[in-house]
PDB file of all heavy atoms in Angstrom:
ATOM      1  N   SER A  21       5.425  61.972  28.184  1.00 86.00           N
ATOM      2  CA  SER A  21       4.942  62.945  29.172  1.00 86.00           C
ATOM      3  C   SER A  21       3.519  63.399  28.812  1.00 86.00           C
ATOM      4  O   SER A  21       2.687  63.638  29.694  1.00 86.00           O
ATOM      5  CB  SER A  21       5.902  64.127  29.310  1.00 86.00           C
ATOM      6  OG  SER A  21       5.807  64.956  28.194  1.00 86.00           O
ATOM      7  N   MET A 102     -28.895  42.551  16.198  1.00 93.00           N
ATOM      8  CA  MET A 102     -30.332  42.379  15.963  1.00 93.00           C
ATOM      9  C   MET A 102     -30.927  43.615  15.275  1.00 93.00           C
ATOM     10  O   MET A 102     -31.918  43.524  14.565  1.00 93.00           O
ATOM     11  CB  MET A 102     -31.085  42.156  17.291  1.00 93.00           C
ATOM     12  CG  MET A 102     -30.585  40.989  18.104  1.00 93.00           C
ATOM     13  SD  MET A 102     -31.025  39.406  17.404  1.00 93.00           S
ATOM     14  CE  MET A 102     -32.555  39.125  18.218  1.00 93.00           C
ATOM     15  N   ALA A 199      -8.338  75.401  26.058  1.00 98.00           N
ATOM     16  CA  ALA A 199      -8.105  74.169  26.829  1.00 98.00           C
ATOM     17  C   ALA A 199      -7.938  72.981  25.880  1.00 98.00           C
ATOM     18  O   ALA A 199      -7.143  72.070  26.117  1.00 98.00           O
ATOM     19  CB  ALA A 199      -9.258  73.922  27.796  1.00 98.00           C
ATOM     20  N   ILE A 313      -1.310  87.493  23.688  1.00 97.00           N
ATOM     21  CA  ILE A 313      -2.752  87.347  23.906  1.00 97.00           C
ATOM     22  C   ILE A 313      -3.297  86.417  22.832  1.00 97.00           C
ATOM     23  O   ILE A 313      -3.103  86.659  21.633  1.00 97.00           O
ATOM     24  CB  ILE A 313      -3.459  88.704  23.851  1.00 97.00           C
ATOM     25  CG1 ILE A 313      -2.923  89.570  24.990  1.00 97.00           C
ATOM     26  CG2 ILE A 313      -4.973  88.534  23.981  1.00 97.00           C
ATOM     27  CD1 ILE A 313      -3.454  90.959  25.008  1.00 97.00           C
TER      28      ILE A 313
END
Side-chain angles (χ1 to χ4, degrees):
S21 73
M102 303 288 269
I313 297 176

